[in-house]
Amino acid sequence: MSKQFTLPQDADLARADSLAREVFSDVANKWALLIIEAIGDGTRRFTELRADVDGISHKMLTQNLRLLERNGLVERFVHPTVPPRVDYTLTEPGRELRKTVDAMCAWTTRYLTEIESARRRFDG
């Protein structure tokens, strides 16, 4: 008889009240994923990110950067200049998550034609 592995409550995505589900919800949105991809391997300023993430508002960029920072995926550096300069970089966990984001981008590119065909069939 095999022994079934039991996740700690905070790590169980099936539980609505788990920390894992909260973190998943924070990072599994289009803006967070696009921000992670835009930061990439470097350090980016807020204005650069806003320009690179087409369609994002100032408010949404701010909210998502705060969520990513809160979850330890992004570090925020404020330089004591006038006006203040703020830089963002991915932390080690953020860089690891970026590997998944990169794979999702590659998947999208690879299957875009098939997805478009399926949508045309579905939409009639």
Side-chain angles (χ1 to χ4, degrees):
M1 201 181 276
S2 67
K3 188 175 185 179
Q4 190 168 5
F5 178 72
T6 305
L7 288 172
Q9 287 185 357
D10 276 347
D12 187 354
L13 281 171
R15 291 180 54 98
D17 63 344
S18 73
L19 177 59
R21 188 179 289 187
E22 182 182 335
V23 172
F24 187 78
S25 177
D26 287 350
V27 300
N29 73 70
K30 69 177 179 180
W31 296 125
L33 296 175
L34 291 171
I35 291 165
I36 289 167
E37 188 65 17
I39 294 172
D41 293 327
T43 298
R44 305 300 303 275
R45 296 180 71 177
F46 184 92
T47 53
E48 292 173 320
L49 291 171
R50 181 132 186 246
D52 286 348
V53 181
D54 191 36
I56 195 167
S57 68
H58 186 280
K59 179 181 177 180
M60 287 307 290
L61 180 56
T62 299
Q63 287 176 351
N64 278 275
L65 284 167
R66 286 180 181 161
L67 276 174
L68 293 170
E69 184 181 9
R70 180 175 183 249
N71 287 304
L73 302 172
V74 168
E75 286 182 314
R76 179 177 181 259
F77 302 98
V78 180
H79 300 273
T81 59
V82 177
R85 183 177 133 201
V86 181
D87 293 328
Y88 297 90
T89 189
L90 295 177
T91 62
E92 192 273 327
R95 289 188 299 276
E96 285 298 311
L97 178 57
R98 183 167 174 251
K99 292 176 184 177
T100 301
V101 174
D102 288 346
M104 291 173 64
C105 291
W107 174 87
T108 303
T109 301
R110 181 175 179 188
Y111 291 104
L112 191 57
T113 302
E114 288 89 340
I115 293 167
E116 287 176 324
S117 294
R119 285 182 170 196
R120 278 193 301 274
R121 285 190 308 274
F122 185 86
D123 295 340

